[in-house]
């Protein structure tokens, strides 16, 4: 199965298609063995007491690639954020990713997700290449998460 991000341009609009990797528990050996050291987008979740996944982070990485960024963001010893460290130390952490070499795609996809998940403050801007951005995602897992 090919994971990744594709885009089709229709006029001034961008239609993104994202194929996520399977969800995996974030442990250093799994990340080192299975995650490629390429650029891309990722989502990180934590499992609550009721067995629901909760969003911890959504972002993209250029330098060092997905492998090193997921490894860094899911290790309590490597994070500087006290709230994230508490979650990483005490909860089961899950992740998924989609590689892409396109900086435009990473900007637009992360903006789309953050604007959808956190509409009051997405914290990032789209690339500006497209008038409107549309996104369709596909994943091998049925992901239901609680904001």
């Amino acid at each position: 199965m090919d994971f990744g991000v594709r885009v089709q341009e229709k006029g001034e609009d961008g239609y993104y298609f994202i194929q996520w990797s399977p969800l995996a528990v974030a442990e250093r050996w799994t990340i080192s063995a299975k995650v490629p050291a390429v650029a891309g987008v990722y989502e990180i979740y934590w499992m609550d007491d009721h067995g629901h996944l909760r969003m911890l982070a959504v972002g993209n990485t250029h330098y060092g690639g997905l492998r090193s960024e997921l490894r860094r963001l899911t290790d309590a010893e490597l994070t500087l954020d006290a709230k994230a460290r508490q979650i990483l130390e005490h909860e089961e952490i899950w992740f998924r990713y989609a590689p892409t070499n396109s900086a435009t795609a990473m900007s637009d996809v992360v903006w789309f997700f953050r604007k959808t998940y956190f509409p009051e403050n997405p914290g990032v801007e789209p690339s500006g290449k497209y008038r409107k951005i549309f996104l369709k995602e596909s994943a091998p897992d049925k992901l239901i998460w609680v904001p």
Side-chain angles (χ1 to χ4, degrees):
M1 180 175 293
D2 252 350
F3 317 128
V5 179
R6 294 180 294 119
V7 64
Q8 273 189 328
E9 295 180 359
K10 293 184 183 175
E12 297 179 358
D13 300 337
Y15 291 79
Y16 286 96
F17 303 92
I18 185 165
Q19 175 63 51
W20 290 108
S21 68
L23 277 166
V25 174
E27 55 182 31
R28 73 176 58 159
W29 309 117
T30 301
I31 293 171
S32 295
K34 295 186 178 186
V35 178
V38 297
V41 296
Y42 59 83
E43 291 183 335
I44 302 172
Y45 302 90
W46 60 278
M47 185 79 69
D48 70 12
D49 295 339
H50 303 289
H52 298 119
L53 289 175
R54 296 195 176 261
M55 176 68 67
L56 182 60
V58 59
N60 64 293
T61 181
H62 301 272
Y63 306 110
L66 289 163
R67 181 184 305 146
S68 62
E69 188 72 353
L70 285 168
R71 174 74 181 88
R72 182 181 70 80
L73 292 173
T74 59
D75 189 329
E77 294 177 11
L78 300 177
T79 189
L80 301 175
D81 182 301
K83 183 178 179 182
R85 182 180 300 115
Q86 187 72 9
I87 292 171
L88 293 172
E89 287 175 344
H90 300 288
E91 308 298 344
E92 186 174 67
I93 308 301
W94 291 74
F95 71 93
R96 65 182 184 173
Y97 62 90
T100 181
N101 290 325
S102 169
T104 298
M106 285 187 271
S107 293
D108 290 344
V109 167
V110 170
W111 172 82
F112 186 93
F113 285 129
R114 292 189 59 87
K115 184 71 173 168
T116 301
Y117 303 157
F118 316 108
E120 68 285 348
N121 184 17
V124 296
E125 294 294 324
S127 69
K129 183 175 181 177
Y130 302 111
R131 181 177 56 91
K132 288 185 180 177
I133 296 170
F134 301 90
L135 190 139
K136 182 177 182 182
E137 56 185 326
S138 179
D141 315 289
K142 286 195 177 243
L143 174 65
I144 299 173
W145 65 276
V146 179

